[in-house]
Structures are given as structure tokens and as C-alpha cells.
């Protein structure tokens, strides 16, 4: 089955046809290919979250259409037809710990697979597997989710989404409010899922470092429109353009840009510490190890 | 929920927007009372004229108000039909068992309809032109006399303003949790009654839990900022009673007088 996403001329207006109507997305056209890791960046209120909610049919376009995992969504699509789509698309909302409600952690994780027709035993099996995957100790499984720490609640919520075994995973700022260690662990877990299970990942984030480290496709949004659709290397090689649109650079790239201003030739733009270190090592070797460029 | 207009505020700078909230609150209640004085064509025409004048002064399009009536239209029509079919007296046009349609019944039905619409228009006008905070401030100061009866007016006003402040936040939270649960395969508003009630649990429990957490955080934050009850506090938002507020009250008194004179 093809799990790619194809968006054509999508427009969306909140509270359409009322005096409070306001436009959130204008003529958005995009392709997200199967198994890619796409990052969507942009200023607060640029329409990122609205766009995400179209991808699993929580919102339907006011005009235009999109195809997600072989399901066509048009303004006329009925709610019933969207259920089939939703099982393919896992959606981790901002602060997903707010969605927990069951008596035990295990039941909460097993909630989604049960909704999508898995038997009780199967769901529980999947839940145990997912709890392990997100790094939850097995002794918390029988406890109430409300007794856990914030970080653990986040893990339970994410496990609950992964338990649907989606092919497309949407992450809306999954690490907001976590400590540095928790953030790194979580981002590495998503990267692992992407590599091992070929999950298509769509990540909305304000952390440019994460974009540079993990994504292979970047979409930049502003005022409901797509203003750039490219690779991280391409987008981050224009620091002035980014600054104009109120976006920053990843730390490494920002540092590389300073070196470049000082006359060090770096090409292509290094996105990660390792890439920068390698390029610098190469330059040092060429220059005989002594001087700076 | 998008269609609910009652209880929304529309930003503006009209004469009505700038009136003192106490005057607006008082006059809206007063209006609802004097609507019941109406009992003939002349009095209803006068009231309709007053309402249309107020709508005009608020610089908000009449369409908004008509939309505000829409959610209640079935209740209104039901009451009107009861009036028409069960009124006795007057010339009967049509009769069948306990049902009679008389000219008096029809007139009564029309009056009931007018009364409903007038009251809804006036209360919509109040909420469209007054921010929730102004309403709760206004209520606090109108309720002050009740302090003598040991009614905890400050506490009621505080609860009211916190409640009003958190309505949109809780609405956002509801939408968010609903979406999150939908993404996990819950179908809201589908299937039989039992199934629909069951679908609400994954929405209600998180909402309650987050309200408890929010209340705890808010109480801590309030204490940390030195809140220790209503007594001895000063006010940041001062309410000013201006000439136009007095004029409003005078106008309504004149209207009352006219109503009493025009009544049969």
C-alpha cells in the first residue's frame, strides 16, 4: 500500500460562512513521500497545526483535496469514510499526556488498538510491546496514569498512539516541556522507528537542531502558505532569508556561518556536529594542520 | 458550537459598547421586566422600536441578532403553537376536541413570539457589546447591597470572573482532547445511545483531571501573588458612570411611563 501524502491546492477556513470566519491555509500543495522524515517549521500561528489536522481527517479542506495513504479527502468526504484513514495515521498532539483517561497505563495504551478492532488479548500484547519501546518500566503498567511523572505520562501517551501501529506518524512538538535527556531519548526513539520500521514521520517543531539532525525534508510555512519546500541543507544555507521569516538556524549551522564569514570555506553547509567536524578536519589536513583559512 | 452567538463578545467602539456595564446589566434586566407590561399592538410596536434603536446604536449588523435567535427557534415555535391551540376566548375559527384556534389565541401567539425575540435580542445585545470581565465586574457592584445580608459577593464575583475567563480555555482543551481521542479511533456522536455515552468517557475524565490540575496551579499562583480573600482589595478596572448612562436610565423610565399609558 502506498503511504505517501499528496496535497493539492488545499484551502481551509475556520468557521466558514460565519461572521467569525478566518482563513488558516491558502493554496497549499505538497508531496510527502513514503518513508520520509518531514519537518514542518514556521512561526506560531502559521497554520502548521491546521495542516496536520487535515492529514488524518480531523479537519476537511474548505476547497482542494488531499490523498493520504490512498484515501482521498475532499470537502465532501463523510466522517465515516475517515475511520479507515485514521488507523494508518498516528497523531501525537502537543502535550499528549492530556489524553490519558483509563484506570491503568496498560489499558490506556491498549485503547486505540481495541477501537480499531483488535481483540482484548492482542491489544494488551501490543500495549506491553509499546510500553517497552518507549522505555516505560514494566512495574508502572498496572498503575494509574495519573500517578506518574510528567515525562512518564508523555511516554504513555506516545505509546498509546504507537499502539495503533500506524504507517504515518504525526508529531506536533513531541518534546515540548521535557528535560534535555528526555528530549534526546524521545527524538532518538522516533529516529529508530523511522529507520527500522520505515515509518513516515511528520514533525512540527521549533527546534532547528532537531530538524537538522533528523529530517530529510523541510516545509516552511508562513501565514497559511508554504514558502519553502526543500531539504534541510538547502533551507539552512540561507540564514538571511530565514531571519526575514523569523526563523533561526541550528546551532551547528549558525556556528558554521560565522566561520564562513571569517573566511573558512565550508561546502556543503554542515547540519550536524559530525559533518562540521569532518569538514574542518579535511580542511586542516589540506592546510597542513597548522593554519586557519 | 460555532453557531452559538449568545454569550459572545464582538469588539467595537459604539455608544452601547462604551456604556457602563452596570447600566447595561441593569437596563437589560429592567427591559425583560417591562416587556411583560406589553399587552397590545401599540406597546409591542414601541418595544420593537426601542430594541431596533439599541441595535442600531450598537453598530452591529442585525443579522447577528437573528442568528442568535436561531438555536432557540424550536422552543419559541412550540410555545407559540401551545398558545394558539389552547387559548380560549375570542371568536373560534376552528375547533377539534380540546384544540381551538381563536383570534385571541393567534394574537396571543404573536405576542409570545415577539416577547421571546425581544428578550433574546436584548440579552444578545448585552453580551455582544460587553466583555465577560465587564459583566462580572458590573454584577459584583450591582450585588454589593447583598453584602448586608451576608451574601459572599466578592467570592461570587471572583468565581464568576474565573469561570468566564476559563470558558474559552476549556473549550480549546475539549476540542484538543476530542481530536486526540478521535485520532485514537473514538467516534463521537455515532452509534446508539449507550455507545455514544461510552464515547464521552475518554473526553470527560481528562477534562476533569485537567480542571483539577488547573485549579490547583491557579490557587497556588494566586496565593504566591498575595491573594488572601476579597476584603481590603483595591480595584484595577474602575467603572465610570457617565451622562449617557443616566440618559439610558431616563429613557427607559420614559418608556415605562409610555407603556403604562398605552396599556389597555
Amino acid at each position: 500500500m502506498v503511504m505517501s501524502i499528496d496535497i493539492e491546492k488545499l484551502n481551509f477556513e475556520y468557521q466558514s460562512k460565519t461572521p467569525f470566519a478566518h482563513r488558516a491555509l491558502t493554496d497549499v500543495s505538497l508531496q510527502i513521500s513514503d518513508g520520509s522524515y518531514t519537518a514542518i517549521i514556521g512561526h506560531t500561528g502559521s497554520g502548521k497545526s491546521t495542516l496536520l489536522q487535515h492529514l488524518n481527517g480531523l479537519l476537511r479542506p474548505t476547497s482542494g483535496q488531499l490523498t493520504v495513504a490512498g484515501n482521498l479527502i475532499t470537502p465532501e468526504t463523510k466522517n465515516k469514510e475517515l475511520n479507515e484513514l485514521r488507523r494508518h495515521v498516528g497523531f501525537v498532539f502537543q502535550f499528549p499526556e492530556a489524553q490519558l483517561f483509563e484506570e491503568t497505563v496498560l489499558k490506556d495504551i491498549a485503547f486505540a488498538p481495541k477501537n480499531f478492532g483488535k481483540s482484548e488479548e492482542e491489544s494488551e500484547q501490543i500495549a506491553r510491546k509499546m510500553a517497552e519501546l518507549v522505555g516505560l518500566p514494566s512495574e508502572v503498567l498496572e498503575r494509574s496514569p495519573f500517578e506518574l511523572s510528567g515525562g512518564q505520562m508523555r511516554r504513555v501517551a506516545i505509546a498509546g498512539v504507537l499502539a495503533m501501529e500506524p504507517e504515518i506518524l504525526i508529531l506536533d512538538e513531541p518534546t515540548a516541556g521535557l528535560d534535555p535527556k528526555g528530549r534526546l531519548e524521545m527524538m532518538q526513539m522516533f529516529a529508530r522507528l523511522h529507520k527500522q520500521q520505515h515509518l513516515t514521520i511528520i514533525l512540527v517543531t521549533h527546534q532547528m537542531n532537531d530538524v537538522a539532525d533528523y529530517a530529510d525534508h523541510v516545509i516552511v510555512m508562513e501565514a497559511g502558505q508554504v514558502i519553502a519546500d526543500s531539504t534541510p541543507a538547502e533551507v539552512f544555507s540561507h540564514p538571511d532569508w530565514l531571519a526575514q521569516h523569523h526563523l533561526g538556524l541550528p546551532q551547528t549551522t549558525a556556528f558554521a556561518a560565522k566561520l564562513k564569514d571569517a573566511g573558512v570555506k565550508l561546502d556543503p553547509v554542515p547540519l550536524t556536529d559530525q559533518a562540521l567536524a569532518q569538514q574542518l578536519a579535511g580542511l586542516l589536513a589540506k592546510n597542513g594542520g597548522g593554519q586557519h583559512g | 458550537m460555532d453557531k452559538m452567538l449568545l454569550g459572545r463578545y464582538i469588539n467595537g467602539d459604539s455608544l452601547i459598547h462604551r456604556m457602563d456595564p452596570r447600566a447595561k446589566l441593569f437596563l437589560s434586566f429592567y427591559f425583560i421586566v417591562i416587556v411583560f407590561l406589553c399587552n397590545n399592538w401599540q406597546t409591542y410596536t414601541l418595544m420593537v422600536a426601542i430594541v431596533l434603536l439599541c441595535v442600531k446604536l450598537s453598530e452591529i449588523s442585525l443579522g447577528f441578532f437573528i442568528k442568535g435567535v436561531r438555536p432557540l427557534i424550536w422552543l419559541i415555535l412550540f410555545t407559540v403553537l401551545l398558545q394558539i391551540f389552547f387559548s380560549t376566548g375570542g371568536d373560534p375559527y376552528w375547533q377539534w376536541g380540546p384544540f381551538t384556534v381563536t383570534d385571541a389565541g393567534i394574537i396571543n401567539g404573536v405576542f409570545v413570539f415577539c416577547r421571546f425575540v425581544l428578550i433574546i435580542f436584548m440579552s444578545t445585545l448585552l453580551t455582544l457589546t460587553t466583555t465577560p470581565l465587564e459583566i462580572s465586574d458590573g454584577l459584583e457592584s450591582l450585588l454589593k447591597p447583598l453584602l448586608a445580608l451576608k451574601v459572599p459577593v466578592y467570592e461570587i464575583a471572583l468565581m464568576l470572573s474565573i469561570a468566564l475567563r476559563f470558558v474559552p480555555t476549556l473549550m480549546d482543551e475539549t476540542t484538543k482532547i476530542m481530536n486526540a481521542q478521535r485520532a485514537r479511533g473514538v467516534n463521537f456522536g455515532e452509534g446508539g445511545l449507550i455507545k455514544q455515552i461510552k464515547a464521552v468517557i475518554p473526553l470527560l475524565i481528562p477534562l476533569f483531571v485537567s480542571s483539577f490540575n488547573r485549579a490547583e496551579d491557579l490557587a497556588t499562583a494566586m496565593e504566591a501573588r498575595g491573594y488572601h480573600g476579597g476584603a481590603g482589595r483595591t480595584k484595577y478596572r474602575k467603572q465610570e458612570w457617565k451622562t449617557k448612562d443616566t440618559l439610558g436610565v431616563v429613557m427607559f423610565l420614559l418608556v415605562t411611563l409610555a407603556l403604562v399609558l398605552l396599556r389597555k
Side-chain angles (χ1 to χ4, degrees):
Chain A
M1 194 166 189
V2 193
M3 289 299 156
S4 61
I5 295 169
D6 196 347
I7 304 174
E8 277 172 60
K9 292 229 165 250
L10 185 142
N11 285 286
F12 183 75
E13 210 172 50
Y14 277 105
Q15 309 196 15
S16 197
K17 287 169 196 151
T18 73
F20 302 98
H22 74 104
R23 180 156 274 251
L25 293 174
T26 312
D27 273 335
V28 173
S29 294
L30 300 167
Q31 263 108 40
I32 293 172
S33 52
D34 220 354
S36 65
Y37 196 131
T38 303
I40 304 181
I41 55 177
H43 218 232
T44 317
S46 57
K48 304 181 299 277
S49 296
T50 310
L51 179 63
L52 289 187
Q53 289 181 42
H54 279 83
L55 299 180
N56 74 340
L58 289 174
L59 293 176
R60 264 156 293 171
T62 314
S63 75
Q65 61 176 56
L66 66 162
T67 315
V68 181
N71 294 269
L72 179 73
I73 309 174
T74 64
E76 287 81 36
T77 306
K78 298 267 181 317
N79 232 336
K80 280 216 171 101
E81 304 161 31
L82 293 169
N83 241 348
E84 164 61 21
L85 162 70
R86 288 195 186 131
R87 65 193 307 160
H88 297 295
V89 186
F91 200 138
V92 178
F93 282 81
Q94 264 173 50
F95 300 102
E97 50 274 27
Q99 73 189 27
L100 304 176
F101 74 99
E102 282 277 19
E103 295 146 57
T104 68
V105 169
L106 194 68
K107 275 191 187 170
D108 203 285
I109 303 177
F111 179 64
K114 263 193 287 186
N115 281 330
F116 289 116
K118 289 267 196 313
S119 74
E120 197 97 4
E121 294 81 51
E122 266 181 301
S123 306
E124 220 157 87
Q125 244 171 24
I126 297 173
R128 283 182 197 283
K129 206 173 81 190
M130 293 305 158
E132 203 184 309
L133 188 70
V134 299
L136 279 170
S138 56
E139 61 264 24
V140 303
L141 291 183
E142 296 303 328
R143 280 169 59 187
S144 155
F146 301 111
E147 292 172 4
L148 305 183
S149 69
Q152 281 185 326
M153 281 168 82
R154 177 83 53 102
R155 281 165 202 266
V156 176
I158 290 174
V161 174
L162 292 175
M164 296 161 57
E165 304 185 302
E167 286 92 354
I168 297 173
L169 184 62
I170 299 174
L171 307 165
D172 193 352
E173 298 192 45
T175 59
L178 288 185
D179 60 61
K181 183 165 166 276
R183 279 191 39 196
L184 186 68
E185 281 175 8
M186 210 142 272
M187 289 311 294
Q188 281 175 344
M189 179 193 78
F190 293 131
R192 217 164 47 233
L193 285 170
H194 170 64
K195 280 217 185 71
Q196 290 169 359
Q197 306 185 13
H198 305 287
L199 235 66
T200 307
I201 291 188
I202 299 164
L203 168 75
V204 164
T205 185
H206 293 288
Q207 304 291 331
M208 297 303 153
N209 291 338
D210 288 345
V211 179
D213 286 346
Y214 302 106
D216 50 36
H217 179 190
V218 181
I219 292 162
V220 186
M221 297 195 62
E222 189 178 75
Q225 283 175 304
V226 173
I227 54 169
D229 179 358
S230 182
T231 60
E234 164 65 21
V235 168
F236 290 135
S237 60
H238 301 102
D240 297 337
W241 182 85
L242 282 169
Q244 251 174 47
H245 296 284
H246 311 286
L247 294 166
L249 283 173
Q251 276 168 345
T252 310
T253 320
F255 182 60
K258 277 194 181 143
L259 285 177
K260 206 173 165 189
D261 287 343
V264 183
K265 278 209 177 89
L266 295 168
D267 194 54
V269 180
L271 293 175
T272 60
D273 301 355
Q274 278 170 343
L276 177 65
Q278 262 172 17
Q279 284 191 21
L280 287 178
L283 281 175
L284 287 174
K286 218 165 59 187
N287 292 349
Q291 311 154 317
H292 273 261
Chain B
M1 244 169 286
D2 290 349
K3 305 222 160 53
M4 270 302 274
L5 260 161
L6 216 69
R8 284 236 198 167
Y9 171 72
I10 295 180
N11 211 355
D13 192 31
S14 68
L15 183 69
I16 306 257
H17 277 90
R18 279 180 276 119
M19 270 177 82
D20 190 293
R22 284 169 296 183
K24 280 192 272 188
L25 267 171
F26 172 72
L27 291 180
S28 317
F29 286 126
Y30 187 67
F31 179 88
I32 292 171
V33 174
I34 58 174
V35 159
F36 290 94
L37 283 177
C38 297
N39 63 356
N40 57 17
W41 292 111
Q42 294 90 325
T43 45
Y44 272 108
T45 318
L46 177 67
M47 289 307 253
V48 169
I50 296 290
V51 167
L52 288 179
L53 177 72
C54 292
V55 168
K56 181 84 192 140
L57 285 177
S58 75
E59 291 165 23
I60 294 172
S61 85
L62 195 64
F64 275 97
F65 293 87
I66 294 171
K67 281 213 181 89
V69 175
R70 217 179 272 165
L72 293 171
I73 196 72
W74 294 113
L75 178 72
I76 299 174
L77 288 182
F78 179 70
T79 321
V80 168
L81 288 179
L82 278 187
Q83 280 288 336
I84 290 179
F85 284 115
F86 292 103
S87 287
T88 47
D91 297 330
Y93 291 128
W94 180 78
Q95 195 162 18
W96 183 77
F99 303 106
T100 45
V101 176
T102 66
D103 58 348
I106 291 177
I107 291 172
N108 262 336
V110 173
F111 283 174
V112 165
F113 182 80
C114 285
R115 202 175 282 167
F116 261 114
V117 172
L118 287 174
I119 291 175
I120 294 171
F121 268 42
M122 212 54 175
S123 36
T124 312
L125 181 73
L126 173 73
T127 56
L128 284 181
T129 60
T130 322
T131 61
L133 273 178
E134 283 179 330
I135 293 185
S136 74
D137 277 359
L139 265 182
E140 180 179 349
S141 100
L142 285 181
L143 290 178
K144 277 246 174 80
L146 292 182
L147 270 177
L149 297 175
K150 299 239 165 88
V151 177
V153 171
Y154 295 113
E155 281 72 17
I156 292 175
L158 179 76
M159 278 182 343
L160 191 70
S161 60
I162 290 176
L164 286 170
R165 154 69 186 77
F166 279 102
V167 167
T169 314
L170 276 179
M171 290 282 266
D172 284 351
E173 181 106 8
T174 311
T175 321
K176 205 195 110 179
I177 296 173
M178 236 171 146
N179 278 339
Q181 306 297 23
R182 267 200 194 118
R184 294 210 284 168
V186 179
N187 290 315
F188 291 102
E190 270 174 39
L193 188 65
I194 303 286
K195 212 177 157 199
Q196 288 204 30
I197 292 174
K198 271 193 174 157
V200 177
I201 296 172
L203 177 62
L204 275 188
I205 292 180
L207 263 182
F208 270 108
V209 170
S210 89
S211 302
F212 284 134
N213 290 336
R214 216 183 278 279
E216 203 178 330
D217 289 349
L218 182 67
T220 314
M222 282 172 70
E223 273 181 359
R225 297 171 75 183
Y227 178 82
H228 50 75
R233 291 184 71 203
T234 52
K235 286 226 151 254
Y236 174 63
R237 290 182 301 271
K238 282 258 160 48
Q239 293 172 339
E240 263 182 274
W241 188 275
K242 284 160 285 194
T243 329
K244 55 173 161 284
D245 302 309
T246 316
L247 280 178
V249 173
V250 170
M251 185 182 98
F252 270 69
L253 288 178
L254 290 177
V255 169
T256 319
L257 192 67
L259 282 180
V260 172
L261 291 176
L262 287 170
R263 262 167 74 91
K264 270 188 287 200

